[in-house]
Amino acid sequence: MTASEEAELLQLKRKIERDRGFRCELYKDKCLRRRLGIRMRARKAESFAAYAALLDTDPTEYDRLVDALTVNVTKFFRDREMWDVLAAELLPRVLDRPSAPIRVWSAGCSSGEEPYSLSILAHEWAAREQRPETLERLAILGTDIDRASLEAAERALYPPLALEETPEDVRAKWFAPGPPFQLREEIRRPVSFLRADLLCDDPPVGQNLILCRNVIIYLERSVQEKLFEKFLEALEPGGYLVLGRVETLVGPIRGKFRIVSHRERIFVKP
Ligand SMILES: C[S@@+](CC[C@H](N)C(=O)[O-])C[C@H]1O[C@@H](n2cnc3c(N)ncnc32)[C@H](O)[C@@H]1O
């Protein structure tokens, strides 16, 4: 890139931050450029400056851009093996608390499939153990930076693709017939959603389990390290942190967690 293209790109990043609060400089530059490139080609914008001008005249393009930058791909029970370990080993420990509130945080929850998957497993555990009262103490919080995803999460109405990794009996039990498939009210009840930016907002504290999967891969390493500090602060002692399949803890913070499953990227705060 020439110096003037670099300068135009910098202007564009500042504009996106100013207009939409999306802090481009915290994300991996290569990913960001690739995604910007996709939108620019789609709109036949030949320079960063031309694309910036287009954002001013066509607000719908801004929504598409934020969509492209945030990468909202998700599914119920995405990476099934992790959910099997979670159901068999983690969840019984997290849920089997006599009286205190049970707090779970899905950080970067996109359209809700992850926190709702957790709610489904919690309901199945409670039915099996005959402990329905546990569900009344369960609060699952889903946070994301992307408003459109959160609106979809609140609607809880899903296309077949979202249920691709969901066993048929689970779909039949917890969703109304479709497509699209409406998630049943009881699964939605313990789950709430909030728009929050993981990188600058304070984390919700007192968590017993944090899922932050397929979010940090897009972030610069120094930003990842700061985020792990936040997770440590947000977790109760004995609380678990689950990352995505290709993600892991980096930096000195590694010494402050214990590995539960390296394969499934599960860590615990001692
Ligand atoms: C690929 S999705 C992951 C969804 C789900 N955790 C999963 O693994 O299936 C990544 C999500 O992270 C969100 N995200 C990206 N940067 C964020 C930030 N700074 N704060 C909060 N959410 C963010 C995106 O909007 C997107 O919904």
Side-chain angles (χ1 to χ4, degrees), residues 22-23 26-27 66-67 69-76 78-79 106-111 113-115 143-147 149 196-200 211-219 244:
F22 186 88
R23 298 177 65 192
L26 303 182
Y27 291 79
V66 172
D67 239 23
L69 292 179
T70 52
V71 194
N72 308 113
V73 182
T74 186
K75 260 179 209 164
F76 280 88
R78 177 183 194 178
D79 297 327
S106 165
C109 67
S110 189
S111 33
E113 288 86 334
E114 184 176 272
T143 65
D144 204 282
I145 195 173
D146 184 37
R147 276 183 215 287
S149 293
D197 186 338
L198 273 172
L199 310 181
C200 43
L211 301 169
C212 184
R213 300 163 63 234
N214 308 301
V215 180
I216 63 159
I217 28 167
Y218 304 111
L219 302 172

mmCIF file of all heavy atoms in Angstrom, residues 22-23 26-27 66-67 69-76 78-79 106-111 113-115 143-147 149 196-200 211-219 244, ligand 1:
data_model
loop_
_atom_site.group_PDB
_atom_site.id
_atom_site.type_symbol
_atom_site.label_atom_id
_atom_site.label_comp_id
_atom_site.label_asym_id
_atom_site.label_seq_id
_atom_site.Cartn_x
_atom_site.Cartn_y
_atom_site.Cartn_z
ATOM 1 N N PHE A 22 -16.940 1.293 16.803
ATOM 2 C CA PHE A 22 -16.196 0.044 16.587
ATOM 3 C C PHE A 22 -14.708 0.381 16.531
ATOM 4 O O PHE A 22 -14.256 1.089 15.630
ATOM 5 C CB PHE A 22 -16.658 -0.624 15.287
ATOM 6 C CG PHE A 22 -16.053 -1.980 15.075
ATOM 7 C CD1 PHE A 22 -16.659 -3.114 15.598
ATOM 8 C CD2 PHE A 22 -14.863 -2.126 14.371
ATOM 9 C CE1 PHE A 22 -16.087 -4.363 15.419
ATOM 10 C CE2 PHE A 22 -14.294 -3.371 14.194
ATOM 11 C CZ PHE A 22 -14.908 -4.493 14.714
ATOM 12 N N ARG A 23 -13.947 -0.143 17.521
ATOM 13 C CA ARG A 23 -12.540 0.285 17.651
ATOM 14 C C ARG A 23 -11.619 -0.583 16.796
ATOM 15 O O ARG A 23 -11.040 -1.558 17.262
ATOM 16 C CB ARG A 23 -12.145 0.260 19.124
ATOM 17 C CG ARG A 23 -13.000 1.236 19.916
ATOM 18 C CD ARG A 23 -12.697 1.186 21.375
ATOM 19 N NE ARG A 23 -11.334 1.640 21.635
ATOM 20 C CZ ARG A 23 -10.734 1.476 22.812
ATOM 21 N NH1 ARG A 23 -11.362 0.859 23.793
ATOM 22 N NH2 ARG A 23 -9.508 1.900 22.992
ATOM 23 N N LEU A 26 -8.062 -2.242 17.596
ATOM 24 C CA LEU A 26 -7.880 -3.346 18.541
ATOM 25 C C LEU A 26 -7.991 -4.718 17.863
ATOM 26 O O LEU A 26 -7.697 -5.742 18.451
ATOM 27 C CB LEU A 26 -8.915 -3.258 19.668
ATOM 28 C CG LEU A 26 -8.898 -1.927 20.451
ATOM 29 C CD1 LEU A 26 -9.934 -1.968 21.561
ATOM 30 C CD2 LEU A 26 -7.524 -1.656 21.042
ATOM 31 N N TYR A 27 -8.440 -4.712 16.623
ATOM 32 C CA TYR A 27 -8.621 -5.974 15.893
ATOM 33 C C TYR A 27 -7.407 -6.251 15.008
ATOM 34 O O TYR A 27 -6.692 -5.318 14.624
ATOM 35 C CB TYR A 27 -9.895 -5.911 15.040
ATOM 36 C CG TYR A 27 -11.126 -5.903 15.910
ATOM 37 C CD1 TYR A 27 -11.538 -4.740 16.548
ATOM 38 C CD2 TYR A 27 -11.839 -7.068 16.140
ATOM 39 C CE1 TYR A 27 -12.632 -4.741 17.392
ATOM 40 C CE2 TYR A 27 -12.938 -7.071 16.979
ATOM 41 C CZ TYR A 27 -13.335 -5.904 17.598
ATOM 42 O OH TYR A 27 -14.413 -5.909 18.433
ATOM 43 N N VAL A 66 -20.555 -3.262 9.466
ATOM 44 C CA VAL A 66 -20.412 -3.693 10.861
ATOM 45 C C VAL A 66 -20.652 -5.201 10.952
ATOM 46 O O VAL A 66 -19.937 -5.923 11.646
ATOM 47 C CB VAL A 66 -21.352 -2.894 11.792
ATOM 48 C CG1 VAL A 66 -21.364 -3.467 13.198
ATOM 49 C CG2 VAL A 66 -20.918 -1.430 11.832
ATOM 50 N N ASP A 67 -21.614 -5.670 10.186
ATOM 51 C CA ASP A 67 -21.873 -7.115 10.109
ATOM 52 C C ASP A 67 -20.628 -7.867 9.652
ATOM 53 O O ASP A 67 -20.249 -8.878 10.236
ATOM 54 C CB ASP A 67 -22.945 -7.347 9.031
ATOM 55 C CG ASP A 67 -24.143 -8.037 9.609
ATOM 56 O OD1 ASP A 67 -24.325 -7.929 10.827
ATOM 57 O OD2 ASP A 67 -24.877 -8.677 8.832
ATOM 58 N N LEU A 69 -17.523 -6.833 9.745
ATOM 59 C CA LEU A 69 -16.393 -6.686 10.669
ATOM 60 C C LEU A 69 -16.554 -7.538 11.916
ATOM 61 O O LEU A 69 -15.577 -8.010 12.484
ATOM 62 C CB LEU A 69 -16.229 -5.215 11.097
ATOM 63 C CG LEU A 69 -15.789 -4.234 10.011
ATOM 64 C CD1 LEU A 69 -15.704 -2.827 10.581
ATOM 65 C CD2 LEU A 69 -14.445 -4.627 9.412
ATOM 66 N N THR A 70 -17.771 -7.755 12.359
ATOM 67 C CA THR A 70 -17.953 -8.466 13.625
ATOM 68 C C THR A 70 -18.054 -9.985 13.456
ATOM 69 O O THR A 70 -17.882 -10.705 14.427
ATOM 70 C CB THR A 70 -19.187 -7.954 14.407
ATOM 71 O OG1 THR A 70 -20.314 -7.980 13.536
ATOM 72 C CG2 THR A 70 -18.976 -6.566 14.928
ATOM 73 N N VAL A 71 -18.295 -10.485 12.268
ATOM 74 C CA VAL A 71 -18.350 -11.938 12.013
ATOM 75 C C VAL A 71 -19.241 -12.646 13.032
ATOM 76 O O VAL A 71 -18.804 -13.081 14.082
ATOM 77 C CB VAL A 71 -16.958 -12.611 12.055
ATOM 78 C CG1 VAL A 71 -17.031 -14.010 11.462
ATOM 79 C CG2 VAL A 71 -15.917 -11.790 11.374
ATOM 80 N N ASN A 72 -20.508 -12.743 12.688
ATOM 81 C CA ASN A 72 -21.469 -13.236 13.677
ATOM 82 C C ASN A 72 -21.811 -14.723 13.569
ATOM 83 O O ASN A 72 -22.751 -15.187 14.197
ATOM 84 C CB ASN A 72 -22.766 -12.410 13.580
ATOM 85 C CG ASN A 72 -22.484 -10.936 13.664
ATOM 86 O OD1 ASN A 72 -22.671 -10.198 12.703
ATOM 87 N ND2 ASN A 72 -21.998 -10.517 14.817
ATOM 88 N N VAL A 73 -21.043 -15.450 12.776
ATOM 89 C CA VAL A 73 -21.354 -16.867 12.551
ATOM 90 C C VAL A 73 -21.423 -17.641 13.872
ATOM 91 O O VAL A 73 -20.517 -17.565 14.698
ATOM 92 C CB VAL A 73 -20.242 -17.530 11.701
ATOM 93 C CG1 VAL A 73 -20.577 -18.984 11.420
ATOM 94 C CG2 VAL A 73 -20.015 -16.752 10.428
ATOM 95 N N THR A 74 -22.476 -18.385 14.068
ATOM 96 C CA THR A 74 -22.624 -19.206 15.269
ATOM 97 C C THR A 74 -23.665 -20.285 15.019
ATOM 98 O O THR A 74 -24.292 -20.303 13.955
ATOM 99 C CB THR A 74 -23.001 -18.327 16.489
ATOM 100 O OG1 THR A 74 -22.999 -19.137 17.659
ATOM 101 C CG2 THR A 74 -24.362 -17.660 16.330
ATOM 102 N N LYS A 75 -23.840 -21.162 15.980
ATOM 103 C CA LYS A 75 -24.795 -22.277 15.852
ATOM 104 C C LYS A 75 -25.120 -22.791 17.243
ATOM 105 O O LYS A 75 -24.273 -22.648 18.138
ATOM 106 C CB LYS A 75 -24.097 -23.453 15.155
ATOM 107 C CG LYS A 75 -24.397 -23.601 13.719
ATOM 108 C CD LYS A 75 -23.643 -24.760 13.141
ATOM 109 C CE LYS A 75 -23.421 -24.402 11.693
ATOM 110 N NZ LYS A 75 -22.430 -25.198 11.078
ATOM 111 N N PHE A 76 -26.238 -23.431 17.408
ATOM 112 C CA PHE A 76 -26.486 -24.171 18.641
ATOM 113 C C PHE A 76 -25.467 -25.314 18.710
ATOM 114 O O PHE A 76 -25.197 -25.975 17.698
ATOM 115 C CB PHE A 76 -27.900 -24.759 18.653
ATOM 116 C CG PHE A 76 -28.939 -23.744 19.018
ATOM 117 C CD1 PHE A 76 -29.537 -22.954 18.038
ATOM 118 C CD2 PHE A 76 -29.296 -23.545 20.344
ATOM 119 C CE1 PHE A 76 -30.476 -21.993 18.377
ATOM 120 C CE2 PHE A 76 -30.239 -22.586 20.688
ATOM 121 C CZ PHE A 76 -30.831 -21.814 19.705
ATOM 122 N N ARG A 78 -22.325 -25.484 18.763
ATOM 123 C CA ARG A 78 -21.177 -25.405 17.852
ATOM 124 C C ARG A 78 -19.961 -26.069 18.521
ATOM 125 O O ARG A 78 -19.673 -25.785 19.676
ATOM 126 C CB ARG A 78 -20.877 -23.926 17.600
ATOM 127 C CG ARG A 78 -19.678 -23.680 16.744
ATOM 128 C CD ARG A 78 -19.439 -22.193 16.642
ATOM 129 N NE ARG A 78 -18.514 -21.870 15.606
ATOM 130 C CZ ARG A 78 -18.154 -20.629 15.287
ATOM 131 N NH1 ARG A 78 -18.686 -19.618 15.938
ATOM 132 N NH2 ARG A 78 -17.293 -20.390 14.348
ATOM 133 N N ASP A 79 -19.270 -26.898 17.814
ATOM 134 C CA ASP A 79 -18.169 -27.728 18.345
ATOM 135 C C ASP A 79 -18.712 -28.655 19.430
ATOM 136 O O ASP A 79 -18.473 -28.489 20.624
ATOM 137 C CB ASP A 79 -17.002 -26.876 18.889
ATOM 138 C CG ASP A 79 -16.368 -26.050 17.789
ATOM 139 O OD1 ASP A 79 -16.345 -26.522 16.637
ATOM 140 O OD2 ASP A 79 -15.903 -24.936 18.083
ATOM 141 N N SER A 106 -21.971 -15.434 28.557
ATOM 142 C CA SER A 106 -21.560 -15.761 27.197
ATOM 143 C C SER A 106 -21.101 -14.447 26.561
ATOM 144 O O SER A 106 -21.917 -13.597 26.202
ATOM 145 C CB SER A 106 -22.743 -16.384 26.439
ATOM 146 O OG SER A 106 -22.504 -16.398 25.064
ATOM 147 N N ALA A 107 -19.782 -14.290 26.451
ATOM 148 C CA ALA A 107 -19.199 -13.020 25.997
ATOM 149 C C ALA A 107 -18.966 -13.094 24.488
ATOM 150 O O ALA A 107 -18.176 -13.913 24.034
ATOM 151 C CB ALA A 107 -17.888 -12.788 26.737
ATOM 152 N N GLY A 108 -19.676 -12.241 23.736
ATOM 153 C CA GLY A 108 -19.635 -12.348 22.271
ATOM 154 C C GLY A 108 -20.620 -13.422 21.854
ATOM 155 O O GLY A 108 -20.283 -14.393 21.189
ATOM 156 N N CYS A 109 -21.887 -13.213 22.265
ATOM 157 C CA CYS A 109 -22.895 -14.285 22.147
ATOM 158 C C CYS A 109 -23.578 -14.300 20.787
ATOM 159 O O CYS A 109 -24.389 -15.183 20.513
ATOM 160 C CB CYS A 109 -23.946 -14.128 23.228
ATOM 161 S SG CYS A 109 -24.950 -12.636 23.020
ATOM 162 N N SER A 110 -23.300 -13.298 19.940
ATOM 163 C CA SER A 110 -23.918 -13.199 18.627
ATOM 164 C C SER A 110 -25.449 -13.293 18.744
ATOM 165 O O SER A 110 -26.029 -12.630 19.598
ATOM 166 C CB SER A 110 -23.329 -14.271 17.699
ATOM 167 O OG SER A 110 -23.771 -14.053 16.385
ATOM 168 N N SER A 111 -26.097 -14.160 17.961
ATOM 169 C CA SER A 111 -27.563 -14.187 17.960
ATOM 170 C C SER A 111 -28.149 -15.142 19.009
ATOM 171 O O SER A 111 -29.312 -15.548 18.895
ATOM 172 C CB SER A 111 -28.077 -14.519 16.555
ATOM 173 O OG SER A 111 -27.197 -15.374 15.889
ATOM 174 N N GLU A 113 -27.337 -18.304 20.171
ATOM 175 C CA GLU A 113 -27.295 -19.766 20.139
ATOM 176 C C GLU A 113 -26.458 -20.348 21.281
ATOM 177 O O GLU A 113 -26.796 -21.392 21.844
ATOM 178 C CB GLU A 113 -26.749 -20.260 18.790
ATOM 179 C CG GLU A 113 -27.703 -20.071 17.617
ATOM 180 C CD GLU A 113 -27.623 -18.695 16.957
ATOM 181 O OE1 GLU A 113 -27.236 -17.709 17.633
ATOM 182 O OE2 GLU A 113 -27.966 -18.597 15.767
ATOM 183 N N GLU A 114 -25.354 -19.672 21.623
ATOM 184 C CA GLU A 114 -24.472 -20.198 22.679
ATOM 185 C C GLU A 114 -25.118 -20.136 24.071
ATOM 186 O O GLU A 114 -25.211 -21.167 24.750
ATOM 187 C CB GLU A 114 -23.149 -19.424 22.633
ATOM 188 C CG GLU A 114 -22.101 -19.922 23.593
ATOM 189 C CD GLU A 114 -20.806 -19.145 23.387
ATOM 190 O OE1 GLU A 114 -19.990 -19.548 22.544
ATOM 191 O OE2 GLU A 114 -20.618 -18.109 24.054
ATOM 192 N N PRO A 115 -25.593 -18.959 24.529
ATOM 193 C CA PRO A 115 -26.237 -18.951 25.845
ATOM 194 C C PRO A 115 -27.480 -19.844 25.905
ATOM 195 O O PRO A 115 -27.759 -20.478 26.931
ATOM 196 C CB PRO A 115 -26.603 -17.483 26.071
ATOM 197 C CG PRO A 115 -26.456 -16.809 24.756
ATOM 198 C CD PRO A 115 -25.471 -17.597 23.973
ATOM 199 N N THR A 143 -23.689 -11.175 26.068
ATOM 200 C CA THR A 143 -23.352 -9.804 25.658
ATOM 201 C C THR A 143 -22.703 -9.827 24.284
ATOM 202 O O THR A 143 -22.035 -10.788 23.914
ATOM 203 C CB THR A 143 -22.381 -9.114 26.649
ATOM 204 O OG1 THR A 143 -21.122 -9.798 26.638
ATOM 205 C CG2 THR A 143 -22.926 -9.067 28.050
ATOM 206 N N ASP A 144 -22.931 -8.755 23.549
ATOM 207 C CA ASP A 144 -22.315 -8.619 22.228
ATOM 208 C C ASP A 144 -22.271 -7.133 21.875
ATOM 209 O O ASP A 144 -23.032 -6.331 22.424
ATOM 210 C CB ASP A 144 -23.115 -9.393 21.165
ATOM 211 C CG ASP A 144 -22.251 -9.769 19.965
ATOM 212 O OD1 ASP A 144 -21.994 -8.887 19.122
ATOM 213 O OD2 ASP A 144 -21.811 -10.929 19.880
ATOM 214 N N ILE A 145 -21.402 -6.830 20.930
ATOM 215 C CA ILE A 145 -21.275 -5.427 20.498
ATOM 216 C C ILE A 145 -22.278 -5.110 19.383
ATOM 217 O O ILE A 145 -22.586 -3.967 19.109
ATOM 218 C CB ILE A 145 -19.829 -5.182 20.007
ATOM 219 C CG1 ILE A 145 -19.507 -3.710 19.883
ATOM 220 C CG2 ILE A 145 -19.544 -5.914 18.712
ATOM 221 C CD1 ILE A 145 -18.045 -3.427 19.554
ATOM 222 N N ASP A 146 -22.806 -6.153 18.754
ATOM 223 C CA ASP A 146 -23.596 -5.980 17.536
ATOM 224 C C ASP A 146 -25.104 -6.012 17.835
ATOM 225 O O ASP A 146 -25.651 -7.048 18.219
ATOM 226 C CB ASP A 146 -23.218 -7.125 16.568
ATOM 227 C CG ASP A 146 -23.917 -6.968 15.233
ATOM 228 O OD1 ASP A 146 -24.077 -5.828 14.777
ATOM 229 O OD2 ASP A 146 -24.334 -7.994 14.667
ATOM 230 N N ARG A 147 -25.728 -4.852 17.651
ATOM 231 C CA ARG A 147 -27.151 -4.726 18.002
ATOM 232 C C ARG A 147 -28.059 -5.674 17.227
ATOM 233 O O ARG A 147 -28.976 -6.271 17.788
ATOM 234 C CB ARG A 147 -27.629 -3.305 17.728
ATOM 235 C CG ARG A 147 -27.356 -2.360 18.821
ATOM 236 C CD ARG A 147 -27.932 -0.976 18.524
ATOM 237 N NE ARG A 147 -27.046 0.026 19.069
ATOM 238 C CZ ARG A 147 -26.922 0.292 20.355
ATOM 239 N NH1 ARG A 147 -27.644 -0.354 21.237
ATOM 240 N NH2 ARG A 147 -26.081 1.218 20.789
ATOM 241 N N SER A 149 -27.485 -8.556 15.970
ATOM 242 C CA SER A 149 -27.383 -9.926 16.483
ATOM 243 C C SER A 149 -28.185 -10.072 17.773
ATOM 244 O O SER A 149 -28.876 -11.068 17.987
ATOM 245 C CB SER A 149 -25.923 -10.288 16.781
ATOM 246 O OG SER A 149 -25.204 -10.349 15.593
ATOM 247 N N ALA A 196 -22.763 -4.788 24.990
ATOM 248 C CA ALA A 196 -21.565 -4.330 25.693
ATOM 249 C C ALA A 196 -20.359 -4.609 24.824
ATOM 250 O O ALA A 196 -20.327 -5.607 24.094
ATOM 251 C CB ALA A 196 -21.433 -5.043 27.039
ATOM 252 N N ASP A 197 -19.378 -3.722 24.920
ATOM 253 C CA ASP A 197 -18.124 -3.907 24.200
ATOM 254 C C ASP A 197 -17.132 -4.546 25.162
ATOM 255 O O ASP A 197 -16.782 -3.955 26.181
ATOM 256 C CB ASP A 197 -17.611 -2.543 23.710
ATOM 257 C CG ASP A 197 -16.381 -2.680 22.828
ATOM 258 O OD1 ASP A 197 -15.679 -3.717 22.925
ATOM 259 O OD2 ASP A 197 -16.123 -1.758 22.038
ATOM 260 N N LEU A 198 -16.719 -5.758 24.818
ATOM 261 C CA LEU A 198 -15.801 -6.508 25.676
ATOM 262 C C LEU A 198 -14.511 -5.747 25.945
ATOM 263 O O LEU A 198 -13.862 -5.976 26.956
ATOM 264 C CB LEU A 198 -15.377 -7.780 24.926
ATOM 265 C CG LEU A 198 -16.253 -8.995 25.069
ATOM 266 C CD1 LEU A 198 -15.790 -10.065 24.109
ATOM 267 C CD2 LEU A 198 -16.147 -9.490 26.497
ATOM 268 N N LEU A 199 -14.140 -4.889 25.019
ATOM 269 C CA LEU A 199 -12.828 -4.269 25.100
ATOM 270 C C LEU A 199 -12.830 -3.006 25.944
ATOM 271 O O LEU A 199 -11.801 -2.592 26.430
ATOM 272 C CB LEU A 199 -12.304 -3.963 23.692
ATOM 273 C CG LEU A 199 -12.394 -5.154 22.743
ATOM 274 C CD1 LEU A 199 -11.836 -4.798 21.385
ATOM 275 C CD2 LEU A 199 -11.655 -6.351 23.318
ATOM 276 N N CYS A 200 -13.969 -2.380 26.115
ATOM 277 C CA CYS A 200 -13.921 -1.162 26.938
ATOM 278 C C CYS A 200 -14.937 -1.144 28.079
ATOM 279 O O CYS A 200 -14.761 -0.373 29.018
ATOM 280 C CB CYS A 200 -14.013 0.103 26.083
ATOM 281 S SG CYS A 200 -15.212 0.024 24.803
ATOM 282 N N LEU A 211 -18.146 -18.248 28.875
ATOM 283 C CA LEU A 211 -17.854 -18.774 27.542
ATOM 284 C C LEU A 211 -17.457 -17.581 26.688
ATOM 285 O O LEU A 211 -18.224 -16.616 26.583
ATOM 286 C CB LEU A 211 -19.105 -19.418 26.929
ATOM 287 C CG LEU A 211 -19.745 -20.576 27.689
ATOM 288 C CD1 LEU A 211 -21.105 -20.896 27.093
ATOM 289 C CD2 LEU A 211 -18.869 -21.800 27.632
ATOM 290 N N CYS A 212 -16.285 -17.622 26.122
ATOM 291 C CA CYS A 212 -15.901 -16.572 25.167
ATOM 292 C C CYS A 212 -15.238 -17.298 24.009
ATOM 293 O O CYS A 212 -14.032 -17.543 24.005
ATOM 294 C CB CYS A 212 -14.966 -15.549 25.789
ATOM 295 S SG CYS A 212 -14.620 -14.210 24.602
ATOM 296 N N ARG A 213 -16.057 -17.678 23.050
ATOM 297 C CA ARG A 213 -15.571 -18.572 21.991
ATOM 298 C C ARG A 213 -15.650 -17.883 20.630
ATOM 299 O O ARG A 213 -16.638 -17.254 20.297
ATOM 300 C CB ARG A 213 -16.417 -19.849 21.987
ATOM 301 C CG ARG A 213 -16.318 -20.580 23.336
ATOM 302 C CD ARG A 213 -17.422 -21.581 23.526
ATOM 303 N NE ARG A 213 -17.383 -22.634 22.556
ATOM 304 C CZ ARG A 213 -18.399 -22.983 21.776
ATOM 305 N NH1 ARG A 213 -19.556 -22.342 21.857
ATOM 306 N NH2 ARG A 213 -18.274 -23.966 20.927
ATOM 307 N N ASN A 214 -14.556 -18.025 19.903
ATOM 308 C CA ASN A 214 -14.488 -17.484 18.543
ATOM 309 C C ASN A 214 -14.670 -15.971 18.495
ATOM 310 O O ASN A 214 -15.318 -15.430 17.610
ATOM 311 C CB ASN A 214 -15.519 -18.205 17.651
ATOM 312 C CG ASN A 214 -15.373 -19.713 17.759
ATOM 313 O OD1 ASN A 214 -14.315 -20.252 17.469
ATOM 314 N ND2 ASN A 214 -16.406 -20.399 18.237
ATOM 315 N N VAL A 215 -14.113 -15.326 19.482
ATOM 316 C CA VAL A 215 -14.121 -13.862 19.533
ATOM 317 C C VAL A 215 -12.677 -13.355 19.537
ATOM 318 O O VAL A 215 -12.326 -12.477 18.754
ATOM 319 C CB VAL A 215 -14.847 -13.338 20.802
ATOM 320 C CG1 VAL A 215 -14.839 -11.820 20.834
ATOM 321 C CG2 VAL A 215 -16.280 -13.863 20.866
ATOM 322 N N ILE A 216 -11.834 -13.967 20.394
ATOM 323 C CA ILE A 216 -10.486 -13.390 20.560
ATOM 324 C C ILE A 216 -9.594 -13.614 19.339
ATOM 325 O O ILE A 216 -8.627 -12.897 19.168
ATOM 326 C CB ILE A 216 -9.772 -13.908 21.830
ATOM 327 C CG1 ILE A 216 -9.546 -15.423 21.740
ATOM 328 C CG2 ILE A 216 -10.508 -13.537 23.089
ATOM 329 C CD1 ILE A 216 -8.450 -15.892 22.669
ATOM 330 N N ILE A 217 -9.935 -14.586 18.492
ATOM 331 C CA ILE A 217 -9.093 -14.802 17.310
ATOM 332 C C ILE A 217 -8.980 -13.542 16.454
ATOM 333 O O ILE A 217 -8.030 -13.407 15.712
ATOM 334 C CB ILE A 217 -9.578 -15.932 16.352
ATOM 335 C CG1 ILE A 217 -11.077 -16.110 16.410
ATOM 336 C CG2 ILE A 217 -8.821 -17.204 16.522
ATOM 337 C CD1 ILE A 217 -11.578 -16.980 15.256
ATOM 338 N N TYR A 218 -9.981 -12.679 16.544
ATOM 339 C CA TYR A 218 -9.943 -11.471 15.705
ATOM 340 C C TYR A 218 -9.176 -10.323 16.360
ATOM 341 O O TYR A 218 -9.047 -9.261 15.767
ATOM 342 C CB TYR A 218 -11.377 -11.015 15.403
ATOM 343 C CG TYR A 218 -12.200 -12.108 14.767
ATOM 344 C CD1 TYR A 218 -13.248 -12.712 15.450
ATOM 345 C CD2 TYR A 218 -11.885 -12.566 13.491
ATOM 346 C CE1 TYR A 218 -13.984 -13.738 14.865
ATOM 347 C CE2 TYR A 218 -12.615 -13.584 12.910
ATOM 348 C CZ TYR A 218 -13.658 -14.164 13.606
ATOM 349 O OH TYR A 218 -14.375 -15.170 13.024
ATOM 350 N N LEU A 219 -8.712 -10.552 17.603
ATOM 351 C CA LEU A 219 -8.128 -9.432 18.350
ATOM 352 C C LEU A 219 -6.608 -9.476 18.381
ATOM 353 O O LEU A 219 -6.009 -10.555 18.393
ATOM 354 C CB LEU A 219 -8.634 -9.472 19.805
ATOM 355 C CG LEU A 219 -10.145 -9.412 19.981
ATOM 356 C CD1 LEU A 219 -10.506 -9.661 21.431
ATOM 357 C CD2 LEU A 219 -10.683 -8.072 19.506
ATOM 358 N N GLY A 244 -12.667 -20.724 22.393
ATOM 359 C CA GLY A 244 -13.012 -21.463 21.169
ATOM 360 C C GLY A 244 -11.936 -22.480 20.814
ATOM 361 O O GLY A 244 -10.831 -22.446 21.345
HETATM 362 C C1 LIG B 1 -18.044 -15.555 15.543
HETATM 363 S S1 LIG B 1 -19.140 -14.856 16.696
HETATM 364 C C2 LIG B 1 -19.034 -16.036 18.016
HETATM 365 C C3 LIG B 1 -20.378 -16.431 18.570
HETATM 366 C C4 LIG B 1 -20.332 -17.555 19.604
HETATM 367 N N1 LIG B 1 -19.533 -17.179 20.741
HETATM 368 C C5 LIG B 1 -19.805 -18.840 18.998
HETATM 369 O O1 LIG B 1 -18.670 -19.227 19.242
HETATM 370 O O2 LIG B 1 -20.554 -19.474 18.234
HETATM 371 C C6 LIG B 1 -18.189 -13.490 17.337
HETATM 372 C C7 LIG B 1 -19.039 -12.450 18.063
HETATM 373 O O3 LIG B 1 -18.185 -11.572 18.800
HETATM 374 C C8 LIG B 1 -18.757 -10.287 18.758
HETATM 375 N N2 LIG B 1 -17.751 -9.276 19.066
HETATM 376 C C9 LIG B 1 -16.687 -8.892 18.319
HETATM 377 N N3 LIG B 1 -16.025 -7.899 18.940
HETATM 378 C C10 LIG B 1 -16.693 -7.663 20.114
HETATM 379 C C11 LIG B 1 -16.504 -6.755 21.187
HETATM 380 N N4 LIG B 1 -15.489 -5.885 21.178
HETATM 381 N N5 LIG B 1 -17.371 -6.790 22.208
HETATM 382 C C12 LIG B 1 -18.407 -7.663 22.229
HETATM 383 N N6 LIG B 1 -18.641 -8.537 21.236
HETATM 384 C C13 LIG B 1 -17.792 -8.546 20.197
HETATM 385 C C14 LIG B 1 -19.281 -10.188 17.334
HETATM 386 O O4 LIG B 1 -20.268 -9.178 17.205
HETATM 387 C C15 LIG B 1 -19.826 -11.590 17.105
HETATM 388 O O5 LIG B 1 -21.202 -11.679 17.390
#
